[in-house]
Each structure stands twice: as C-alpha cells, then as structure tokens.
Amino acid sequence: MRIAEKALVECCKRGEAWEPKNWDKQRPEKGTNANRIRAGLIRFLLLGGDTNHPVHETGVQLKGAWVEGELDLEEIESPNLLSMSECHFCEYIRMSDARFSGLILSRCRIAGLSAQRARFAGNVSLEGSRCEGFISFAAATIEGQFDLDDTRLLNPLKEGEDEGDEESHIKRAGKALIAQNLVVKNQMFFRPKKVQGIVRFTNATIDTLIDCHQDDFGDCKTYWPDHQYYLDGLVYKRLPRGVNVTRRVEWLNKQHSEQLGKNFAPQPWEQLAKVLRENGHSGEAGEVAIAKQEARRKAGQIGCRPVSTFDDSRIPSVRMGIDFIWKEISNRIEYAWHWIYGGISGYGYRPQRIVYLMFGIALLSALAYQEGSRAGHFGPTHPLIHQDDDRVECGPDGKNWVLAECSVPPEHSTFQPMLYSLDLILPLVDLHQESDWQPIVVKEDGETVWAGWWLRALMWFEILFGWFGSLMLVAILGRLVEKD
C-alpha cells in the first residue's frame, strides 16, 4: 500500500479528512506519490473497510487526491458519506443503483458520472466541479439538497460524433446532464458556470428549483444554456423570487427546438403557470398562459392539422378535392380565430381588453358622429318632425338638425355623439339616441349622400362588435369558453 493510501486509511479510522502533505490547496493537475489514490481503495473504505481497517461514522473524506482507475460503486449500499473535494478523477465514476448517505464531489475534475437509479439519504453536491463527459442522475432519488452551483458541464457534440446506444457508450456524446425522472425532495441549486451540451430534466420532480442569482438591483439571472435543455414533465413547487415573468417566458421559449416545434410540449408552460398561481401571482400566471398560446401558434399547433394530400399516382376524386379544400379552409379559419381571440381577450386571461376595446371603438366612433353631425348628415327619425312646415328646409343641403338651426320638439332627445355611440355598442342599453337619430343617406331629390352611408356602415359595425364583444365577455366570465 502506498504511503498516501496508508495515510488515507488512518484518517478514515479517526474520522478525519485526508489531504496530501504540502499541497497548494488546488486541484491536482498530475499524479504524484503524495496524492495518488487507487479507486479500488475508496470503494473498499466506503463499504466499511474491515476489522483491520475500520471506517469512522463520519465516512470517507478526501481532499486533493489524484484518483487512479475507474471508481465502480454500482449497486453498493453504504451508510457512509463520500466527501471528496479538489480531486481529479482520471476515469469514469459508476454508482448506478447504489445507496449512499450522501455524496460530495466539490471542485473536482470528473471524467464522467453515472448515478442512474441511485438513492441518497442526504445531500449531493457537485459544486464548483468541472465535469467533462456524460453526467447522469436519471431516476435517482435525493432526500436532501442537490447542488450544481458553479459547475462546468462540458460535453459538446462534436462533428461526426454519433450518440449511439446510451447503455454502451460512456461518453454519450452531446449530453451534459441527464436528470430525467430525478426526484429531489429538497432544494436543487442549478446555477452552473458553463454548460456545453444537452441538459434534460424531463419528468423530474424537484421541491424547490433555485436557478438564478439575485443582483444588487433585485433582478435574477438564470443560467440555462440556450436551446439546449428539455423541461417537459418537470414538476416543482417553488421557484426563487426576483425573476420577473418576462424572464420566465424567455426561459420556456429557449427550450430545445424539439419542444417548441411540431412536438410542442405544453407541460412546462402549464407547470410554471400553476406554480405562479399557487404562490399568489395569478396575473403573472395569466401572462404565462398567454405566452403558451402564442408559442403553440408559432409551433404550428393552431390551424395546421395534417390534411389529406393528393396521390400523384392517380387522379384524385372530386370528393378528395372537396375534402382537401374544406380542411384547408377550416385550418385557416381556426388559425385566424385563435389570433383574434388572443388579441381581443388574451385567450380569456385578459377579458378587460374587450372592455377597453369596446370603449376605444365607441370613442373613435363618437368623434366620427360628431363630425358627421356638424356636416349636417344626421337627422331625427320621428316622421311628424319632418312634416312640420317650419322644418322643410332642414337637411343635408339646408339647415343643420343638430346645431339648433332646425329646432326639434323639447320632448325629443338632443343628439349627443358619445351617448349615441354607447347606445350602439352596448346591446342591452337604450339611451334613446339610436331610435331618435339616424344618418341621412338620401336627399329629397333622391341623390345619395355617401357620407351618410359611411356613417351608417360605422353604426352597423358598432352594433355587431358590441354584440360580439358582449357575448364573448359573458362567455369568458361565465367560464363557457375554455381559456386554453
């Protein structure tokens, strides 16, 4: 047994952390007689040693070791903690299906790590480590915290490199961190210093996901690699404060393109909205839900269902052609309706937009009615008023009905442009403006008054939009229209 290894055995017996003598507290860049430790010895000690080489209850603790050989810990069950810092692992670390009290590999250099289906009763930390190769915690369970702060996850896909079978290729080209089906029952810190490669959190369950650092201004910056991560199925209860909803929407919009295209995954959006709503941020949850619908449209999920295409090998039947055209028309109608529904009501999450829009249309229309009335294009509707000899000269080419040039009986309402517009756009409101005043579209000699026709067309538009907006508002507030 080497001198360094004898010292490690003695330290484990006393419950102390081993470190090379006279080392500079930096991760070793090469192996020497003072820092070389065989991987097999670490396994032996982690399993409890033997009667001549017992291991203290504090576990196996190393600093600054150069670990030779492959550390094979698969399927072992150890009550001891493995704590290694500033160490260099020359080869792969295997701990699939293992059982540990905890694992600390902080500020280490790791060639690759496989911990599929492993269970950790305590914390797991790779804080500050440089991981070159495939890191997997797929289907692992961590009872404590999972710390990946300041790590470098480096496993880019090289040109011409084939991923191949995951079970036979240790490198797993292009996959930096695989955490699918991972369960973390406490906090997970994911604020890596650098990521090169795919990060997969599909179907993982995390109590609290802390993925940002808060700056001096209270803003939070996340550290996810653009378009290199998968979040479909990720479930969490809490997120850190300080990340505004715009940043969170960007987070979802920067997932891997596979989850934003034809295989659009709605779950990450629904999960974020759910967490925000449960934590009292219903307004922000609505913003996420709106962004989800926009992402669906960009992904081609609205109005772009597969339609039958013609078979070039034979002449299509008339029925096939009609079916093809009908489906194309249906798709475009669905797409247009989705766009309109989102624009006027935020897909049901912003029904106040309908109110604002109706008021805006009413105000603009009132301005048009005011100009039309000043130009003499409005007149009273009651026939008895027109039969009065004193009002024969009233009309488009004569006196103005609205400007008191032609007086109307006191019991008849006076023309009020804003009230007139509200009377049109509010279906269940009767302000006696629409019934008492109408645009003049034809002169007495039969000549068409085109300005009057435009005002009448504006009236019809207001009436129709008023019914449409009111029914949509009632449907949304009455939950007759599904928001999603």
Side-chain angles (χ1 to χ4, degrees), residues 29 90 379:
E29 296 298 329
C90 300

Side-chain angles (χ1 to χ4, degrees), residues 8-16 44-60 80:
L8 170 62
V9 172
E10 292 300 316
C11 286
C12 289
K13 184 185 299 185
R14 297 191 300 268
E16 300 174 356
F44 169 76
L45 295 172
L46 193 59
L47 289 171
D50 55 22
T51 54
N52 296 324
H53 308 90
V55 178
H56 192 271
E57 61 185 13
T58 56
V60 181
N80 297 320

Side-chain angles (χ1 to χ4, degrees), residues 87-135:
C87 295
H88 186 117
F89 292 87
C90 300
E91 297 185 30
Y92 203 64
I93 303 173
R94 297 181 181 274
M95 52 181 66
S96 299
D97 299 295
R99 302 291 184 270
F100 295 98
S101 62
L103 174 67
I104 297 176
L105 300 175
S106 60
R107 300 179 299 281
C108 295
R109 185 159 187 165
I110 301 171
L113 187 152
S114 175
Q116 292 100 326
R117 301 174 299 280
R119 298 186 67 89
F120 302 90
N123 299 332
V124 174
S125 175
L126 273 68
E127 180 266 331
S129 292
R130 180 185 179 93
C131 306
E132 300 175 343
F134 179 73
I135 304 295

